[in-house]
Amino acid sequence: MLALSFARHIFDLSISYIIFLTLAILLLLYICIKYKCLKRFVLLFCVFVFGISYYFLGFYTFSGIDYPQSVLIEARVESITNYTNFSTCILDDVKINGNHRPFKITATISNDEIKQSNIVVFESKITKVKLFDDDEFNSFYYKNDTPYKTTINDIVSIKNGYKKLNEKIHDAFNNFVDSNFDSSIGGIIKSVIIGDKSTLNKDIKNSFSSSGIAHLLAISGLHISIIILCINFILNKFKLKEKYNFIILFILLTFYCYICNFSPSVVRASLMSLMFISSNIVGRKYDKLTSLALCAILILLFKPLYIFDAGFLLSFGCVFCIFVISPSICSLLEKTKLNKKVCSNLSVVLSVQLGLIPLSAMFYSSINLLSLLCNIICVPLFEFAFILTFIISFVCIILPFMTFLLKVVELLYWLISNISILFSNATFAFLTLPKTNSMFVVGFYSACFYLSNFVNEKGLNKSIVCPSILIVSYTCSLFV
């Protein structure tokens, strides 16, 4: 992961990064020679070189060839996101001048006649997208596998196409939500259940982000754990063996990942949950950090440039903070003689809020000091609303005359939404952070790991090493 994050600067011939990495490698080599563990250095160096090579492979396999002239494009409209004066759509099953191409295209349209799943034939010029623009990673194109963008103007024909299974499920769920909920609340429900943010109200999205509860809109560990609890509750009624429960759960979670278009946060949460359950079945101790690292490696093997995506880093950073920082905070809180459950829940929220400050500074440059309080209020409300959404929706599908119960769910999401708006409007609570980069972020999380209970080292050594790591990483970040 470190190699992937630094590889771009190496290929861009950033002198400061190259000097820093050279010195770091020489220092590591000296330490390994001194302590007679040269084999470890060779292994680490090979892994690092592999990571750099894999970045190169991921970057250049995404980048396509140039099309200098206008081309005839035939493609299926996979999805459409509507804005005020235009719409953006993702085109798949692409043919260029009659030849199939293994990529998708992002297209801007102003024609209301074009609908999802339509087969569109048009003539236009397509241009390669820039994955990095002013040092910012354009994750939208990478997530959607669209190395090209275009504008649909000269339409030759529009005809009905086909819909994939996950699109049919999305349509059925969206129709259910649209017919039973207000549009603003419906956008939240679509986002938290199937990961569809195309109809999410912009003001609500901004208020969730500003108040520090944007993680509730992204399907992650909280959502997956609730889903697993619901599935296990049903499976336990059949009194099957654990391994059969696991197989069924594996199939259902894989299918759910497919419905959510294999979002990194969904895949990460699903994989970690399955690893935890499987470790209990085979009688092995569950290693939290190993499972987290393994999930990251598996995702990056398929999508190596996700290492630059804010959502990917915040998702994994959040879990890392819970595993590494939360136990220390919990032990401090327990000294205040608070209830153990209160200490545990509060330490999780605190560890995430404190641990994500470097990433927040890198991507957003500010934090809301009241986000801790907002999370303490909204997370329990959301858990209750999320569970009720599944239970009441299931009841209403079987007994349609019970749809009035959905108003309870709508009220809860409305309450959460308004609480987020209240906290986001508290402008006095916003703190502007100094801009950081990946070098300081790596140093910060390295110091957190070294300070944690995962490293068996004397307290005195930790008190010297951790500040040293932070000072060195921050100093280096000023020159890169």
Side-chain angles (χ1 to χ4, degrees):
M1 291 175 69
L2 183 62
L4 286 171
S5 63
F6 278 70
R8 181 172 71 89
H9 301 286
I10 294 173
F11 284 111
D12 288 343
L13 299 178
S14 174
I15 301 300
S16 52
Y17 269 90
I18 292 173
I19 292 173
F20 174 79
L21 284 173
T22 303
L23 292 174
I25 290 170
L26 290 174
L27 177 62
L28 183 62
L29 177 61
Y30 169 75
I31 293 171
C32 289
I33 291 174
K34 183 178 179 180
Y35 290 98
K36 298 179 181 180
C37 52
L38 196 59
K39 289 182 180 179
R40 292 184 181 182
F41 172 81
V42 174
L43 178 62
L44 287 171
F45 186 76
C46 289
V47 171
F48 190 82
V49 172
F50 174 77
I52 292 175
S53 305
Y54 209 69
Y55 164 84
F56 181 85
L57 180 65
F59 184 84
Y60 284 98
T61 51
F62 180 82
S63 303
I65 62 173
D66 289 316
Y67 289 92
Q69 305 295 328
S70 293
V71 293
L72 184 67
I73 302 171
E74 179 182 342
R76 188 186 75 97
V77 180
E78 180 183 77
S79 63
I80 297 179
T81 303
N82 296 314
Y83 298 96
T84 306
N85 299 318
F86 65 96
S87 299
T88 299
C89 64
I90 306 297
L91 305 177
D92 66 1
D93 197 11
V94 176
K95 289 182 182 178
I96 296 182
N97 295 330
N99 298 316
H100 274 286
R101 289 291 180 261
F103 53 74
K104 300 177 184 179
I105 298 174
T106 298
T108 302
I109 57 174
S110 56
N111 191 324
D112 294 336
E113 295 179 9
I114 297 176
K115 307 296 181 185
Q116 185 189 20
S117 79
N118 282 166
I119 304 294
V120 184
V121 180
F122 63 99
E123 189 172 346
S124 181
K125 185 176 180 179
I126 60 174
T127 55
K128 291 168 64 175
V129 302
K130 291 182 179 180
L131 278 179
F132 295 94
D133 188 13
D134 293 331
D135 210 35
E136 297 291 331
F137 181 60
N138 293 320
S139 60
F140 173 83
Y141 299 111
Y142 191 69
K143 284 180 179 179
N144 291 289
D145 293 316
T146 56
Y148 296 95
K149 59 182 178 180
T150 188
T151 301
I152 300 177
N153 288 321
D154 301 326
I155 299 175
V156 177
S157 67
I158 302 174
K159 59 183 179 180
N160 293 328
Y162 62 91
K163 286 192 176 183
K164 298 176 182 177
L165 177 59
N166 63 331
E167 294 170 354
K168 292 178 180 178
I169 294 171
H170 276 226
D171 285 348
F173 183 77
N174 289 341
N175 290 336
F176 173 78
V177 171
D178 292 338
S179 60
N180 290 287
F181 295 97
D182 177 76
S183 59
S184 59
I185 303 302
I188 297 174
I189 294 172
K190 293 173 189 178
S191 176
V192 302
I193 301 295
I194 58 174
D196 181 5
K197 294 184 175 65
S198 61
T199 60
L200 183 62
N201 184 284
K202 187 177 180 180
D203 292 333
I204 290 177
K205 184 178 179 180
N206 290 337
S207 69
F208 271 65
S209 179
S210 299
S211 59
I213 58 170
H215 59 93
L216 297 180
L217 295 175
I219 302 172
S220 57
L222 174 65
H223 307 70
I224 296 297
S225 60
I226 293 173
I227 291 171
I228 290 174
L229 283 174
C230 294
I231 294 172
N232 278 336
F233 177 78
I234 296 171
L235 291 177
N236 289 336
K237 299 296 180 182
F238 294 95
K239 296 181 180 179
L240 299 173
K241 291 183 178 180
E242 281 189 336
K243 62 179 180 180
Y244 296 126
N245 283 350
F246 176 78
I247 293 170
I248 295 170
L249 189 62
F250 174 82
I251 294 170
L252 291 176
L253 285 180
T254 303
F255 186 65
Y256 186 64
C257 289
Y258 166 72
I259 293 173
C260 297
N261 296 316
F262 293 98
S263 165
S265 59
V266 181
V267 174
R268 189 265 308 156
S270 299
L271 281 174
M272 291 190 70
S273 299
L274 290 171
M275 288 178 189
F276 174 73
I277 296 169
S278 62
S279 66
N280 289 333
I281 293 174
V282 298
R284 291 288 189 92
K285 185 180 178 181
Y286 176 66
D287 190 322
K288 295 181 287 189
L289 283 183
T290 300
S291 66
L292 181 66
L294 183 58
C295 289
I297 291 169
L298 289 173
I299 293 172
L300 292 174
L301 281 174
F302 290 95
K303 288 278 193 176
L305 300 190
Y306 264 147
I307 193 66
F308 302 105
D309 177 54
F312 176 87
L313 291 174
L314 288 168
S315 175
F316 278 87
C318 178
V319 180
F320 178 84
C321 292
I322 292 171
F323 289 165
V324 172
I325 303 175
S326 180
S328 299
I329 295 177
C330 187
S331 61
L332 289 173
L333 291 175
E334 286 177 352
K335 293 179 182 179
T336 62
K337 297 182 180 180
L338 285 172
N339 181 276
K340 284 190 175 182
K341 192 170 183 180
V342 173
C343 291
S344 178
N345 293 333
L346 193 58
S347 66
V348 169
V349 178
L350 272 170
S351 64
V352 172
Q353 297 301 310
L354 295 173
L356 292 185
I357 288 177
L359 286 173
S360 298
M362 187 166 72
F363 291 113
Y364 307 116
S365 301
S366 67
I367 58 169
N368 188 335
L369 297 177
L370 295 177
S371 61
L372 173 62
L373 179 60
C374 189
N375 273 274
I376 291 172
I377 296 171
C378 289
V379 169
L381 276 174
F382 178 81
E383 289 178 353
F384 183 54
F386 193 73
I387 294 171
L388 276 185
T389 303
F390 278 96
I391 296 173
I392 296 179
S393 297
F394 182 72
V395 170
C396 291
I397 291 171
I398 299 174
L399 305 170
F401 63 89
M402 300 288 285
T403 52
F404 66 90
L405 292 175
L406 292 170
K407 292 299 177 183
V408 178
V409 175
E410 185 171 9
L411 178 63
L412 287 169
Y413 284 115
W414 175 86
L415 182 59
I416 295 168
S417 176
N418 279 273
I419 291 172
S420 72
I421 292 171
L422 178 67
F423 279 91
S424 66
N425 288 334
T427 53
F428 65 89
F430 284 88
L431 176 66
T432 302
L433 300 171
K435 187 74 174 177
T436 62
N437 58 24
S438 56
M439 195 168 291
F440 177 73
V441 170
V442 169
F444 176 83
Y445 289 118
S446 299
C448 288
F449 174 72
Y450 191 81
L451 193 62
S452 71
N453 297 328
F454 288 94
V455 176
N456 188 16
E457 188 66 75
K458 292 181 180 179
L460 180 62
N461 291 343
K462 288 185 177 183
S463 63
I464 296 172
V465 173
C466 291
S468 301
I469 293 173
L470 289 174
I471 292 169
V472 170
S473 60
Y474 181 72
T475 304
C476 292
S477 69
L478 297 176
F479 297 98
V480 296

